Amino acid sequence: MAAPSPTPFSRLFNSSVDARPTSLKTATILGPKLKSGETEQAHLRLLTSFKHLKFKASKEPPGLTQQLDNRKLESLTESENGCDLFEDLKHRFLRFKRRKFKENLDHFQNLAQGQAPKFMIIACADSRVCPSIILGFQPGEAFMVRNVANLVPTFESGPSETNAALEFAVNSLKVENILVIGHSCCGGIRALMSMEDEVDSSSFIRSWVVVGKNARLITKSAASNLSFDQQCRHCEKESVNHSLLNLLTYPWIEEKVAEGVLSLHGGYYDFIDCTFEKWTLDYKASNREKNSRFAVKNQFYWC
């Protein structure tokens, strides 16, 4: 049986069976109606057009060509740098998989079935403050939410990602401890201390940090003789205390604290000299009627 004739597509890429002269090939590429005599004219027209474009490009200012070349190089460098960043992340992930995941496979398989953390951490979004690094939390040990200035809005403030996380952690995961961590050089607290009495509603940051306005007022009153930087440091800790008070405005949190099944803690991480302060709200000894101050216990300073 004779082999079927090749399709036009296979003929286009099967050069080993195409022994036609080059000029005939060119005629086919330029169009099926070109004759061999017309092919040379087509070549001349192509060459003329190319020379015209080259001459036009040579008339451009030399600086423009250099600028275009520089932009191409900058774009290429940025692209390569971006690839390098993710290449580094890839190696970090693979190292985690090799050294952590595979070596603790049973633990991670248990986590795949569900989580039961003892802690909920509320920390700042600041890239210099990573609770898992500074406190050594391992996967499954702490449910975390991070926001600007580690603030907790009151129950009456309405829905936010922070109180949504609180509801899930307390009511579903049954965490036993909530730890609010403040830190040194907090930009969110600095924005809070810098803002005027009238909040700029067009700024998302100002509209958020106003949650800590009571801490700002107390700081202004108690530390008015200090420098602005010292006032900010004072407010970084004061805002943690007010976040602990705000936690008690959630009925299901206060109920569990009163029952003794949930504890509220404050923390302060100073990344300048790498120290950590920790304290616990003493619910029974606190005067909740004034809703401004509370007693603390179990204070520690780690250095």
Side-chain angles (χ1 to χ4, degrees), residues 191-196 198-211:
L192 171 65
M193 292 297 295
S194 302
M195 74 180 191
E196 303 296 333
E198 294 295 328
V199 179
D200 180 8
S201 60
S202 66
S203 169
F204 291 123
I205 295 175
R206 290 179 179 270
S207 296
W208 168 251
V209 298
V210 74
V211 168

Side-chain angles (χ1 to χ4, degrees), residues 281-293:
L281 180 146
D282 190 341
Y283 180 79
K284 293 181 178 180
S286 297
N287 185 352
R288 291 284 297 124
E289 292 181 0
K290 292 184 179 181
N291 194 33
S292 59
R293 308 301 294 176

Side-chain angles (χ1 to χ4, degrees), residues 2 4 22 27 33 61 80 100-101 107 120 149 175 183 189 197 226 261 273 298:
T22 304
K33 294 184 179 180
E80 289 175 348
K100 297 290 185 180
F101 185 86
H107 175 65
M120 176 180 182
V175 297
H183 69 93
I189 295 299
D197 292 334
L226 301 179
V261 297
D273 55 10
N298 300 331

Side-chain angles (χ1 to χ4, degrees), residues 241 266 276-280 295-302:
N241 290 333
F276 195 93
E277 299 175 52
K278 176 266 173 189
W279 60 95
T280 300
V296 299
K297 60 183 180 180
N298 300 331
Q299 289 182 274
F300 298 101
Y301 182 78
W302 305 328

